[in-house]
């Protein structure tokens, strides 16, 4: 299609450069073989069974020496294609071809059409609160060193868009060749798993290389778009988007996240903030050389001829001193903090605001509203801790603390007490002024670790920490237990404590739990009218299937909104979405607008995970667009909330949920062949060898599918292209209600209810990414004969489900209205297909002829896993 010519030209340019690198390093014959494979893969996608067989034969016949270079070539190409696509979304050519090129402007046009009152828009903008929580789940397969090279390649592509002379173009193309050669000679697979501290550093790198520029640029864009509507700009302290992190704070199932690690990450976060702000102040001090100043600034710096420069240099020196002290503190467990560090955000903001006001008073608005305002807005958005850290711990670990302690006191075992006894004990101690734990009590190492974490939290305060999330929370006592532990640690601020409801049973029980919690007088007084609740998407989908999980999430949110409204408590819903549809992922705009009415009033808090952080925020221009998409969706959800679903819709949705859950569990939980089939048909066991994230892939190393984390569960099924968790059960449910004559109600729901329309749209995308023929090849080569009928049954189900959906949406093509997404998926298939065939061959060798497997073969297998993940984009 001509509208994608610019994208294809960039993909072609990067592919040619990669080919030149391979030729220079490995010779013409290797490149020729790779080109033959690519040409056959393209023909096989468009052509006959013959070309498909030729492709498979050629890949199977590769020598041991050829396998790794071929796998690397296709994997590297997919990384480059992803990069070209990212660049395309923010390029001049790309804005014409992608959905919502100017999201804020489109929203304002919509509000004007709907005649939304200006005062309502003003209130919504004033209260706009989006908190993006960066998480490091093990799906980011690309190493940070390669990410840096890819960022540099994107910068070169942006420069190539300019009007250049032939000589200038040659210089840039040489730079591209240099970067691609560097990438080729860099091991794309980590030698070792990253530590939680490594993961946190990746989060800081995203801020430094992208968000540091993108956040003030986004606020400036928002302000410019809103000015004609509101008649004024945004306040100086506007921070519609803030960032938090789980990296170094999420200890649920991760034994490597300790209190010591959390302390280290908190100090590193401050170190990086001091470093970045000191650089900003260096730039500002060089620029703000003016001598004219108001009395307030003069009172601060005296008669210095360059008052702005003098003040900013003084603050910069203090930041450098703070950074140097933090360097020492990172080497020692306990280092006394001196009083003259820049530790509170106000210490940074006060001098910046003083300069700002002085420039305004001296009629230098144009200077005040330049780089200085950007730095002030960074100070409000990032603060002196850059990312606020969440702490996540499993409720059973808190129960263990009190169980051990009550046994020590000789008053029984807290773990055996009923809910009312637990609450009575906790509330009594929360009201007490004496310390709870005696000094001579020696807790076990597991309990001491929980207490040490609470101690770290108490020491670092509200600027550094955001929310304490309790996984597997189900009762009010789970929340009160954390409040008591934090009180005992000496916390001096009301830290948000959020129960996380994950499984289908948890979500169903959530409203009752929160209702009982808000009925406790002490608790109501403590939270000061604000409650956060986290909704889990991954585990609920793994537990019940995507359709049933989505309805349980919607119903729970709807009930929680109502309960908190009645209690006059502001509710913030924290959405634990993954990157994939099977884990609640998908286009952010559609996901936000499909939530229940009223669910955005307390702001939006959502996880951004693994590889999706890079795809949304890896380039500064891309990050700015992603933030604009979030802001426009939240404002639209607040100002034009979706309809309250009609009763017939609810009833039918409940029916769909029940049938889909039953169909999903009939396979995943009850089919006797399912677990062995899953292990044979996907590289699930081999994934454990890939050093992706710091967390173990299983909560229980000896358990089956139920103990597998939601991420490797999804990752494994995306590798063989069956994509099973994202669709299983949904089609069966739709077929049953169509059979019952409910097609008209389904059509009404699709037309009028964004929640349901989004569900169908997500299914469309899954069906487009799924590939039964590739899944069948995995079965043919890897699955024992006795298990083959199950694979055939699942692929037949997938085909039937896809055909039914096409009928329901009156289309003969999947994603016909989303040309950009179709193009994106089609572009990759030519390069992903050979990796699938190679992976099957390598898995076959590893499993059935281990004596032939050398380090090169093992590495090639890891490369195919990483390459397919890159090709599938939202792989886990």
């Amino acid at each position: 299609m001509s509208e994608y010519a610019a994208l294809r030209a960039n993909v072609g340019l990067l592919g040619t450069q990669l080919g030149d690198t391979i030729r220079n390093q490995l010779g013409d014959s290797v490149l020729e073989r790779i080109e033959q494979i690519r040409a056959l893969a393209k023909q096989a996608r468009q052509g006959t069974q013959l070309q498909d067989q030729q492709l498979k034969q050629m890949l199977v016949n590769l020598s041991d020496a050829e396998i790794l270079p071929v796998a690397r070539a296709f994997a590297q190409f997919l990384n480059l294609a992803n990069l070209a696509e990212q660049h395309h979304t923010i390029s001049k050519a790309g804005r014409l071809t992608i959905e919502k090129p100017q999201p804020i402007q489109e929203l304002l046009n919509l509000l004007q059409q709907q005649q939304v009152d200006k005062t309502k828009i003003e209130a919504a903008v004033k209260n706009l609160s989006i908190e993006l929580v960066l998480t490091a789940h093990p799906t980011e397969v690309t190493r940070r060193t390669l990410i840096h090279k890819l960022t540099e390649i994107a910068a070169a592509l942006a420069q190539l868009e300019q009007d250049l002379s032939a000589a200038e173009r040659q210089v840039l193309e040489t730079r591209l060749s240099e970067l691609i050669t560097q990438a080729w000679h860099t091991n794309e697979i980590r030698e070792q798993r990253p530590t939680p501290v490594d993961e946190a550093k990746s989060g800081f790198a995203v801020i430094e290389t992208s968000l540091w520029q993108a956040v003030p640029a986004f606020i400036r864009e928002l302000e410019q778009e809103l000015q004609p509507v509101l008649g004024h700009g945004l306040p100086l302290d506007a921070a519609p988007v803030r960032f938090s992190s789980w990296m170094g704070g999420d200890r649920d199932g991760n034994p490597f996240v300790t209190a010591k690690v959390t302390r280290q990450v908190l100090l590193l976060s401050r170190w990086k903030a001091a470093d970045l702000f000191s650089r900003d102040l260096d730039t500002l001090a060089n620029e703000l050389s003016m001598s004219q100043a108001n009395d307030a600034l003069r009172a601060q710096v005296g008669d210095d001829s360059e008052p702005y420069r003098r003040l900013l240099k003084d603050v910069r020196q203090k930041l450098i001193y703070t950074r140097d002290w933090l360097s020492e503190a990172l080497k020692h467990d306990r280092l006394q903090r001196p009083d003259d560090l820049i530790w509170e955000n106000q210490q940074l903001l006060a001098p910046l605001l003083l300069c700002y006001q002085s420039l305004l008073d001296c009629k230098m608005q144009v200077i005040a509203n330049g780089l200085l305002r950007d730095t002030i807005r960074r100070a409000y958005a990032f603060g002196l801790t850059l990312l606020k850290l969440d702490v996540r711990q499993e409720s059973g670990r808190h129960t263990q603390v009190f169980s051990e302690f009550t046994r020590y006191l000789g008053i029984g075992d807290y773990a055996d007490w009923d809910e009312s006894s637990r609450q009575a004990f906790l509330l009594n101690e929360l009201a007490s002024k004496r310390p709870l734990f005696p000094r001579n009590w020696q807790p076990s190492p597991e309990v001491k670790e929980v207490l040490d974490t609470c101690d770290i939290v108490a020491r670092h305060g509200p600027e550094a920490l955001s929310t304490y999330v309790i996984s597997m929370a189900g009762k009010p006592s789970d929340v009160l237990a954390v409040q008591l532990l934090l009180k005992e640690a000496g916390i001096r601020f009301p830290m948000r404590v959020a129960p996380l409801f994950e499984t289908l049973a948890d979500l169903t029980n959530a409203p009752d739990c929160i209702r009982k919690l808000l009925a406790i007088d002490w608790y109501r007084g403590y939270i000061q009218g604000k409650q956060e609740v986290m909704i889990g998407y991954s585990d609920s989908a793994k537990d019940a299937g995507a359709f049933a999980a989505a309805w349980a999430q919607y119903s729970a949110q709807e009930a929680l909104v109502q309960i908190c409204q009645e209690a006059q408590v502001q509710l913030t819903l924290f959405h634990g979405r993954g990157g994939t549809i099977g884990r609640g992922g998908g286009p952010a705009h559609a996901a936000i607008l499909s939530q229940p009415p009223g669910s955005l009033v307390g702001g939006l808090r959502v996880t951004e995970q693994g590889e999706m952080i890079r795809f949304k925020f890896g380039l500064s221009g891309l990050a700015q667009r992603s933030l604009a998409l979030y802001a426009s969706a939240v404002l639209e959800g607040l100002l034009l909330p979706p309809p309250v679903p009609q009763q017939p819709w609810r009833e039918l949705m409940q029916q769909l949920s029940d049938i889909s859950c039953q169909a999903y569990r009939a396979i995943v939980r009850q089919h006797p062949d399912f677990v062995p089939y899953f292990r044979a048909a996907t590289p699930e066991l081999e994934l454990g060898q890939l050093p992706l994230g710091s967390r173990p892939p299983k909560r229980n190393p000896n358990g089956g599918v139920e103990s597998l984390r939601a991420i490797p569960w999804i990752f494994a099924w995306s590798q063989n292209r069956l994509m099973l968790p994202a669709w299983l059960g949904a089609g069966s449910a739709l077929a049953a209600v169509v059979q019952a004559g409910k097609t008209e109600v389904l059509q009404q729901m699709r037309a009028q209810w964004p929640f349901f329309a989004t569900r169908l749209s997500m299914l469309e995308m899954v069906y487009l990414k799924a590939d039964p023929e590739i899944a069948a090849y995995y079965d043919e080569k890897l699955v024992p004969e006795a298990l083959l009928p199950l694979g055939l049954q699942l692929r037949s189900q997938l085909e039937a489900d896809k055909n039914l959906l096409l009928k329901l949406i009156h289309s003969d093509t999947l994603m016909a209205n989303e040309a950009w997404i179709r193009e994106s998926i089609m572009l990759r298939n030519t390069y992903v297909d050979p990796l699938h065939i190679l992976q099957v061959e390598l898995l076959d060798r590893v499993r059935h002829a281990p004596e032939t497997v050398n380090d090169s073969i093992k590495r090639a297998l890891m490369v195919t896993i990483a390459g397919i993940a890159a090709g599938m984009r939202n792989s886990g």
Side-chain angles (χ1 to χ4, degrees):
M1 292 161 94
S2 57
E3 63 260 45
Y4 298 111
L7 170 62
R8 292 191 165 184
N10 277 338
V11 169
L13 171 63
L14 296 176
T16 300
Q17 295 272 20
L18 177 61
D20 289 345
T21 297
I22 293 167
R23 178 189 287 110
N24 292 336
Q25 303 305 315
L26 301 173
D28 286 331
S29 61
V30 174
L31 179 62
E32 197 176 310
R33 180 60 59 94
I34 289 164
E35 282 301 312
Q36 284 175 329
I37 292 166
R38 189 178 70 84
L40 273 174
K42 192 172 184 180
Q43 290 163 12
R45 272 279 159 186
Q46 301 161 346
T48 64
Q49 191 72 25
L50 175 66
Q51 282 130 344
D52 184 54
Q53 286 305 319
Q54 286 175 334
L55 173 66
K56 286 170 182 165
Q57 202 58 49
M58 181 173 282
L59 286 161
V60 167
N61 289 338
L62 289 176
S63 68
D64 281 8
E66 289 175 312
I67 285 177
L68 182 58
V70 168
R72 292 192 71 220
F74 284 93
Q76 292 255 17
F77 183 85
L78 285 161
N79 277 324
L80 294 172
N82 282 343
L83 183 78
E85 188 182 299
Q86 281 180 294
H87 170 71
H88 188 72
T89 60
I90 52 175
S91 68
K92 288 175 191 170
R95 287 188 198 122
L96 304 173
T97 59
I98 57 171
E99 180 198 14
K100 297 191 180 300
Q102 294 173 303
I104 304 292
Q105 191 54 59
E106 287 192 22
L107 168 68
L108 294 175
N109 293 342
L110 182 62
L111 297 177
Q112 193 175 9
Q113 287 165 21
Q114 301 288 332
Q115 298 181 324
V116 177
D117 187 60
K118 177 190 156 183
T119 54
K120 284 187 177 174
I121 299 174
E122 198 155 13
V125 170
K126 185 182 175 187
N127 296 320
L128 182 59
S129 172
I130 300 165
E131 192 175 353
L132 303 177
V133 184
L134 308 183
T135 72
H137 289 317
T139 56
E140 174 52 276
V141 292
T142 310
R143 291 177 62 207
R144 201 153 30 116
T145 185
L146 277 177
I147 291 169
H148 171 72
K149 297 182 199 316
L150 292 171
T151 306
E152 289 292 303
I153 291 169
L157 287 180
Q159 287 175 278
L160 281 168
E161 281 194 331
Q162 311 305 315
D163 191 12
L164 302 170
S165 67
E168 289 168 329
R169 179 168 289 276
Q170 182 59 51
V171 167
L172 282 170
E173 290 188 359
T174 302
R175 173 65 176 153
L176 275 178
S177 177
E178 177 195 352
L179 289 163
I180 288 169
T181 306
Q182 285 178 18
W184 181 258
H185 285 284
T186 301
N187 191 347
E188 58 274 270
I189 304 297
R190 296 185 186 97
E191 297 293 331
Q192 294 161 330
R193 285 187 181 276
T195 66
V197 174
D198 292 332
E199 290 173 334
K201 286 178 179 175
S202 295
F204 304 149
V206 172
I207 290 179
E208 180 177 4
T209 58
S210 169
L211 290 168
W212 197 250
Q213 299 303 326
V215 167
F218 153 68
I219 299 174
R220 197 179 286 275
E221 176 196 353
L222 186 65
E223 186 169 49
Q224 284 170 353
E225 300 281 13
L226 288 168
Q227 186 126 17
V229 180
L230 303 178
H232 58 77
L234 296 173
L236 197 55
D237 63 355
V241 179
R242 286 189 166 94
F243 296 87
S244 293
S245 172
W246 276 17
M247 299 182 238
D250 178 15
R251 58 241 310 121
D252 177 26
N254 190 342
F256 308 113
V257 179
T258 61
K260 193 172 180 179
V261 163
T262 296
R263 174 186 179 271
Q264 193 177 355
V265 168
L266 286 166
L267 293 178
L268 274 171
S269 190
R270 285 186 175 277
W271 189 98
K272 182 49 90 175
D275 184 57
L276 289 173
F277 278 114
S278 69
R279 289 190 231 167
D280 264 25
L281 292 189
D282 189 39
T283 303
L284 286 169
N286 285 332
E287 294 221 348
L288 300 185
S289 55
M290 296 67 63
S291 56
Q292 199 178 350
N294 66 5
D295 292 344
L297 180 55
R298 284 282 170 210
Q300 188 85 5
V301 298
D303 295 330
D304 197 291
S305 62
E306 294 179 326
Y308 302 94
R309 187 169 275 178
R310 164 55 37 226
L311 181 61
L312 294 170
K313 282 187 172 178
D314 286 349
V315 179
R316 181 172 181 268
Q317 278 309 114
K318 286 180 183 173
L319 280 169
I320 290 169
Y321 169 62
T322 302
R323 188 188 66 189
D324 291 346
W325 179 84
L326 286 160
S327 295
E328 284 304 305
L330 283 161
K331 297 173 194 169
H332 304 93
D333 278 354
R334 290 286 164 95
L335 194 65
Q336 191 62 38
R337 174 157 56 92
D339 294 332
D340 54 351
L341 300 182
I342 292 194
W343 204 256
E344 306 291 333
N345 206 25
Q346 199 50 39
Q347 294 170 271
L348 173 64
L349 274 165
L352 293 173
L353 293 171
L354 190 60
C355 290
Y356 186 82
Q357 191 57 51
S358 176
L359 289 167
L360 291 185
D361 291 348
C362 299
K363 299 184 180 174
M364 291 186 272
Q365 290 92 332
V366 69
I367 299 172
N369 291 323
L371 293 179
L372 176 59
R373 184 170 65 167
D374 284 353
T375 297
I376 290 169
R377 289 201 158 141
R378 284 188 192 109
Y380 281 117
F382 296 113
L384 283 170
T385 55
L386 220 58
L387 290 161
K388 285 193 175 191
L389 193 67
D390 276 9
V391 172
R392 182 169 74 140
Q393 182 59 280
E394 196 255 321
S395 62
R397 293 293 300 276
H398 310 128
T399 300
Q400 188 184 354
V401 174
F402 291 112
S403 178
E404 203 171 289
F405 181 61
T406 55
R407 291 201 309 272
Y408 166 80
L409 293 178
I411 59 172
D413 189 334
Y414 176 88
D416 296 336
W417 296 354
D418 63 19
E419 177 63 11
S420 61
S421 302
R422 289 188 183 192
Q423 282 189 36
F425 170 78
L426 296 168
L427 289 166
N428 185 51
E429 294 300 336
L430 281 162
S432 171
K433 289 188 167 57
R434 62 167 172 74
L436 174 62
F437 302 127
R439 286 189 177 181
N440 58 350
W441 178 46
Q442 294 292 317
S444 67
E446 291 83 2
V447 165
K448 188 174 185 308
E449 179 55 46
V450 175
L451 299 178
D452 287 348
T453 297
C454 293
D455 179 56
I456 293 292
V457 168
R459 285 171 183 274
H460 278 266
E463 278 206 352
L465 291 137
S466 192
T467 300
Y468 195 120
V469 178
I470 313 163
S471 60
M472 303 299 172
K475 301 177 289 294
S477 62
D478 291 331
V479 177
L480 297 174
V482 172
Q483 305 285 14
L484 180 53
L485 289 171
L486 292 173
K487 170 186 175 263
E488 186 62 17
I491 197 165
R492 293 183 182 84
F493 67 101
M495 187 177 189
R496 294 183 300 192
V497 176
L500 163 54
F501 300 106
E502 296 177 89
T503 63
L504 198 63
D506 286 344
L507 287 164
T508 306
N509 180 50
D512 186 53
C513 177
I514 296 299
R515 188 183 287 108
K516 286 175 178 170
L517 195 55
L518 295 178
I520 298 169
D521 289 341
W522 177 89
Y523 186 77
R524 283 292 296 273
Y526 179 81
I527 62 170
Q528 299 174 351
K530 291 186 176 178
Q531 175 66 51
E532 185 174 317
V533 175
M534 185 169 180
I535 303 293
Y537 287 71
S538 309
D539 285 289
S540 52
K542 179 171 167 272
D543 175 37
F547 238 45
W551 180 234
Q553 290 146 12
Y554 186 97
S555 305
Q557 289 177 61
E558 198 175 39
L560 290 168
V561 166
Q562 191 176 347
I563 288 162
C564 289
Q565 279 175 351
E566 287 167 3
Q568 295 183 310
V569 167
Q570 186 188 73
L571 172 69
T572 298
L573 287 164
F574 179 12
H575 303 272
R577 296 180 185 278
T580 57
I581 291 158
R583 300 190 57 239
H589 194 268
I592 291 165
L593 293 178
S594 67
Q595 286 173 208
S599 62
L600 293 166
V601 171
L604 173 76
R605 199 164 196 260
V606 63
T607 51
E608 287 291 1
Q609 170 237 309
E611 82 280 11
M612 299 312 293
I613 295 172
R614 183 159 56 94
F615 291 143
K616 288 182 182 178
F617 306 110
L619 306 175
S620 184
L622 192 66
Q624 186 179 337
R625 183 173 181 274
S626 296
L627 296 177
L629 278 167
Y630 263 119
S632 66
V634 173
L635 286 171
E636 186 177 338
L638 287 166
L639 293 164
L640 298 169
V644 175
Q646 296 173 18
Q647 193 54 35
W649 302 354
R650 288 181 188 281
E651 288 167 7
L652 193 55
M653 195 61 224
Q654 188 58 56
Q655 213 179 325
L656 286 166
S657 171
D658 292 342
I659 298 167
S660 69
C661 181
Q662 201 177 345
Y664 175 87
R665 287 178 173 174
I667 295 290
V668 172
R669 290 193 182 183
Q670 291 150 22
H671 197 295
D673 290 342
F674 181 75
V675 173
Y677 173 75
F678 167 55
R679 298 246 151 93
T682 75
E684 184 260 326
L685 293 169
E686 290 77 13
L687 280 175
Q689 298 164 26
L690 192 60
L692 293 175
S694 68
R695 270 195 333 196
K698 286 188 177 185
R699 286 188 168 94
N700 170 9
N702 301 315
V705 171
E706 76 291 338
S707 69
L708 196 70
R709 288 192 170 278
I711 300 152
W713 162 246
I714 298 281
F715 200 117
W717 287 112
S718 70
Q719 289 283 312
N720 80 340
R721 293 294 279 280
L722 195 58
M723 316 290 285
L724 178 132
W727 59 263
L728 184 62
S732 305
L734 288 168
V737 297
V738 166
Q739 185 78 29
K742 300 284 178 66
T743 306
E744 200 175 318
V745 187
L746 286 177
Q747 296 296 1
Q748 195 183 50
M749 289 159 70
R750 179 173 172 245
Q752 298 174 36
W753 191 15
F755 166 78
F756 187 70
T758 299
R759 298 277 67 73
L760 296 190
S761 175
M762 295 298 99
L763 277 176
E764 259 194 282
M765 196 187 296
V766 167
Y767 294 150
L768 188 60
K769 283 194 170 187
D771 194 312
E773 288 183 16
I774 285 174
Y777 187 65
Y778 278 72
D779 279 17
E780 179 192 328
K781 295 288 185 182
L782 301 172
V783 174
E785 195 173 341
L787 304 176
L788 288 174
L790 177 55
L792 186 60
Q793 178 190 335
L794 291 171
R795 292 193 301 278
S796 302
Q797 185 71 57
L798 172 62
E799 198 62 27
D801 292 356
K802 181 182 80 172
N803 292 334
L804 174 64
L805 182 72
L806 286 169
K807 275 187 193 168
L808 286 173
I809 62 173
H810 308 300
S811 176
D812 54 6
T813 310
L814 291 166
M815 304 298 288
N817 298 325
E818 301 285 356
W820 165 242
I821 294 174
R822 273 189 67 80
E823 176 72 12
S824 171
I825 292 168
M826 299 306 179
L827 184 71
R828 287 174 175 73
N829 279 336
T830 301
Y831 300 91
V832 183
D833 290 355
L835 288 172
H836 284 298
I837 297 165
L838 265 183
Q839 185 178 92
V840 169
E841 171 64 18
L842 292 164
L843 286 170
D844 189 41
R845 290 194 197 185
V846 166
R847 291 175 184 179
H848 302 120
E851 69 284 354
T852 68
V853 176
N854 54 34
D855 287 344
S856 176
I857 295 296
K858 285 180 191 170
R859 187 179 164 205
L861 176 57
M862 298 299 113
V863 169
T864 65
I865 292 171
I868 292 166
M872 298 304 292
R873 285 279 296 254
N874 46 359
S875 55

